Amino acid sequence: MKNLKANVILLLLICMSIATTHIQCMNETQDFVTQHDGRLWLDGTEYRYIGANLWYGAILGSEGQGGDRQRLCRELDDLHRMGIDNLRIVVGSDGTGEESYRAVPTLQTSPTVYNDTLLAGLDYLLQQMGQRQMKAVLYLNNSWAWSGGYTFYLIHAGCGTPPDQNDDGYTAYTAYAAQFSKNKEAQQLFLRHVKHIVSRTNRYTRQRYADDPTIMAWQIGNEPRAFCDTLKNEFATWLSETSALIRSLDPNHLISTGCEGIWGCNGDEALHRRICQDPNIDYVTAHIWPVNWSWAKSDSLAEMLPAACSKTTDYIDRHVALCREIGKPLVIEEFGYPRDGYSFSPKATTLSRDAFLSHILKAVTADKTIAGCNFWAWGGEAEARHEMWQPGDPVMGDPPQEPQGLYSVFGSDTTTCRLLQNMAREVQGSSGHPSAVQLMGR
């Protein structure tokens, strides 16, 4: 009888252990952001957000060149208090680090040869974000040379030295970069990088990236473009093959392209629809840059703001219509407007920028087809030492090839930060996920 009772108790304990493990697995699965019915979801509730671009997060998280873990933690705390809990981050820069206007330190010095200190920085960043229940969107490539990307892989595929985007001009640069859409060797080098990163295990959490709910989505690249009308088919094929590879390596996370939208497809809406309809692409992305796209001019930012906002509304509406048609949500993951007077000084006012950001943020709050947005870009407590970034300068939202401070949102920009905090509270409250400011009763 005693043995029978002991066996029954043992069986009950085993059943309880299995049930507990099952519940834990369910909870871990629910921590991943998912997509269905044209919406993003988290823990069974619609997930909507106001987020930021923090492209340099892994650099700050490292203990090497450019690293400052104390600053990183302070800035994550600041963003979390504002309710900005979704951050878009570059996995790393590519190259020797000696290239002009290159973000340094670089992660990939040559194909699949990695700077381990910077990988540790990425691991640390994800660990700290996880502790704050923040979500990361990690992009793996870049069509622009400031972080290597296309040009890095083309160089190692034997395509010679690329023109410099700043010094040799846009046309010369894009003619070179366009080769990536058809160069299979360059693409294979990139896919090896994808496999290495997606399959990585975080040294601090001991968790595989593929199993880490801190990551919301893998993104193929930053503003991937064909750059050439005759290579659109090859471009779409490359995106499709890459998204399929990521899905095979990681069934848990969302996948997006990182495309600017219709603008990034040379205005070809059919190409954009084809890319977005791919079954492995979970949500549609759009970027909006009024000055870069000549919707406003640097010497008349305030005067041209109404026209820029009108064109912005039209651009958003076209993407919302596509998203409703294909049943996928939209994320406006890059948008920015310069400081007043096109000034690089953090002391410059931000009236026009605040008005532009408010225009987009109101569009996000008004239409649930838009799951969220990430403003460009958080600069935090950094202070520019030179108009153009130089090694040793603190990193900020403006990448090295752009004037430092022009688009960055600093912690000292009180009106902008207040606007973002209020909108984060409104969007997150409407989704059922309380923001940090709500939890604090502010």
Side-chain angles (χ1 to χ4, degrees), residues 116 118-127 138 193-212 215 218 249-250 253:
D116 189 65
L118 206 53
L119 281 176
L122 182 60
D123 290 345
Y124 183 80
L125 169 66
L126 291 173
Q127 178 203 42
L138 300 179
H193 173 60
V194 171
K195 292 177 183 177
H196 186 86
I197 296 299
V198 175
S199 302
R200 179 173 176 75
T201 296
N202 189 309
R203 73 187 63 194
Y204 300 111
T205 65
R206 304 299 181 187
Q207 191 170 39
R208 294 174 63 245
Y209 278 19
D211 298 325
D212 186 356
I215 299 171
W218 294 109
L249 297 169
D250 178 0
H253 290 106

Side-chain angles (χ1 to χ4, degrees), residues 13-329:
L13 289 173
I14 292 172
C15 290
M16 290 173 62
S17 176
I18 292 172
T20 301
T21 302
H22 178 65
I23 291 170
Q24 288 174 342
C25 290
M26 288 179 62
N27 289 337
E28 289 173 2
T29 301
Q30 289 172 345
D31 284 340
F32 291 98
V33 178
T34 60
Q35 184 271 115
H36 60 86
D37 300 329
R39 301 285 191 269
L40 298 183
W41 302 87
L42 178 63
D43 294 336
T45 304
E46 189 173 353
Y47 176 65
R48 305 185 73 231
Y49 63 89
I50 304 296
N53 280 269
L54 191 79
W55 66 265
Y56 54 86
I59 294 177
L60 273 190
S62 78
E63 294 183 299
Q65 179 186 358
D68 189 338
R69 289 185 170 181
Q70 291 184 340
R71 175 189 162 190
L72 173 66
C73 290
R74 289 194 300 270
E75 299 206 351
L76 292 180
D77 287 339
D78 289 341
L79 289 165
H80 184 57
R81 278 192 292 269
M82 292 167 59
I84 308 297
D85 287 328
N86 186 292
L87 305 179
R88 182 170 175 263
I89 301 152
V90 64
V91 165
S93 183
D94 310 305
T96 64
E98 298 176 356
E99 300 86 351
S100 59
Y101 308 110
R102 184 62 48 88
V104 294
T106 58
L107 171 63
Q108 201 176 185
T109 54
S110 60
T112 65
V113 177
Y114 291 96
N115 177 346
D116 189 65
T117 300
L118 206 53
L119 281 176
L122 182 60
D123 290 345
Y124 183 80
L125 169 66
L126 291 173
Q127 178 203 42
Q128 293 300 312
M129 288 181 65
Q131 290 178 1
R132 294 163 176 80
Q133 297 183 313
M134 304 174 92
K135 298 295 182 184
V137 175
L138 300 179
Y139 55 96
L140 296 155
N141 203 335
N142 198 347
S143 67
W144 307 111
W146 65 264
S147 73
Y150 280 12
T151 57
F152 170 78
Y153 296 109
L154 287 169
I155 289 169
H156 287 279
C159 295
T161 303
D164 186 279
Q165 184 180 334
N166 287 51
D167 297 336
D168 298 318
Y170 177 81
T171 301
Y173 172 79
T174 57
Y176 178 91
Q179 299 175 82
F180 186 81
S181 291
K182 64 179 180 180
N183 191 304
K184 292 300 182 182
E185 183 177 351
Q187 291 174 14
Q188 286 301 313
L189 292 175
F190 168 60
L191 293 179
R192 286 166 59 188
H193 173 60
V194 171
K195 292 177 183 177
H196 186 86
I197 296 299
V198 175
S199 302
R200 179 173 176 75
T201 296
N202 189 309
R203 73 187 63 194
Y204 300 111
T205 65
R206 304 299 181 187
Q207 191 170 39
R208 294 174 63 245
Y209 278 19
D211 298 325
D212 186 356
T214 302
I215 299 171
M216 181 185 99
W218 294 109
Q219 195 159 87
I220 295 172
N222 177 58
E223 300 188 338
R225 292 188 184 186
F227 286 129
C228 178
D229 285 341
T230 61
L231 293 173
K232 291 177 181 178
N233 183 64
E234 290 85 348
F235 171 65
T237 299
W238 165 64
L239 290 174
S240 181
E241 290 175 349
T242 304
S243 64
L245 172 64
I246 296 173
R247 183 71 72 202
S248 71
L249 297 169
D250 178 0
N252 293 321
H253 290 106
L254 303 176
I255 302 172
S256 56
T257 63
C259 182
E260 298 144 283
I262 298 168
W263 186 277
C265 293
N266 291 9
D268 188 334
E269 292 197 38
L271 174 63
H272 186 239
R273 179 179 288 102
R274 174 184 171 183
I275 290 169
C276 297
Q277 284 181 314
D278 188 286
N280 290 314
I281 298 301
D282 294 297
Y283 62 91
V284 177
T285 59
H287 299 187
I288 304 175
W289 290 101
V291 174
N292 293 1
W293 297 355
S294 299
W295 294 356
K297 295 182 179 179
S298 59
D299 61 356
S300 51
L301 295 172
E303 295 82 357
M304 298 189 71
L305 179 62
C309 287
S310 177
K311 291 181 178 180
T312 294
T313 296
D314 177 68
Y315 194 69
I316 292 173
D317 287 347
R318 291 165 69 187
H319 290 80
V320 166
L322 170 65
C323 288
R324 290 175 178 167
E325 177 186 332
I326 66 176
K328 296 182 182 181

